[in-house]
Amino acid sequence: MADNRIPIAQKLIELSDSQEMKESTFAESPEADQLILSDPFAFLLAVIFDQMIVAERAWTVPFLLRSRLGHFDVAQLARMDPADLERIIRIEPALHRFPAKMAKWAIMAAQRVERQYGGDAGRIWNDTPRASDLQNR
């Protein structure tokens, strides 16, 4: 089987440069969109939160979480107590319907990014990994 990752990657790059993509939105606000497009950890958290809730809400969570925390620092999130983050997620309007699970997963993601990627979530996918590799990471 031929390795078709490079043509796929080229198509994705072309799409990301297109006017259509520049006008696309993922989140509920332009500010939330900007955060997930500019901060790899925000993107990662949006992917994690995008379960059992409306997608636009999930992609807004990193922006709202940053507002509630007063920061969006991976190292600080990695050190948080899950119960504290759960309380923040539960503040009305709640950021997710499963706050305990999402708090645990967000902290685990931050810890893994700190430990394995030096705090830079962008390093998770900067070596053109296969989808199965990304899932394992």
Side-chain angles (χ1 to χ4, degrees):
M1 178 187 294
D3 185 4
N4 60 359
R5 287 182 292 170
I6 293 177
I8 291 171
Q10 288 170 336
K11 286 290 185 191
L12 288 171
I13 291 167
E14 289 169 17
L15 176 63
S16 73
D17 291 337
S18 72
Q19 188 61 32
E20 177 184 342
M21 192 62 172
K22 287 181 174 70
E23 295 169 1
S24 295
T25 60
F26 295 97
E28 296 172 342
S29 73
E31 297 86 1
D33 274 333
Q34 184 56 42
L35 180 62
I36 62 171
L37 292 171
S38 64
D39 184 321
F41 187 68
F43 182 88
L44 178 62
L45 275 191
V47 170
I48 291 169
F49 274 76
D50 195 359
Q51 301 180 46
M52 306 287 289
I53 63 173
V54 175
E56 291 80 7
R57 179 66 172 174
W59 290 88
T60 303
V61 166
F63 177 77
L64 297 172
L65 191 57
R66 182 181 69 178
S67 296
R68 291 180 184 190
L69 290 170
H71 70 85
F72 203 65
D73 182 73
V74 176
Q76 287 184 51
L77 279 167
R79 291 190 306 269
M80 281 192 80
D81 181 289
D84 292 339
L85 186 54
E86 178 184 347
R87 278 192 288 281
I88 291 167
I89 293 170
R90 282 186 187 278
I91 294 170
E92 291 295 327
L95 300 181
H96 202 278
R97 61 191 292 197
F98 302 114
K101 182 186 291 188
M102 291 299 117
K104 179 181 171 186
W105 289 356
I107 290 170
M108 288 172 57
Q111 290 169 344
R112 181 171 242 176
V113 167
E114 274 293 293
R115 185 177 59 251
Q116 291 183 257
Y117 302 101
D120 180 5
R123 289 181 51 204
I124 295 170
W125 50 81
N126 71 353
D127 60 349
T128 320
R130 296 173 188 261
S132 60
D133 294 333
L134 281 175
Q135 189 174 14
N136 290 329
R137 292 176 182 180

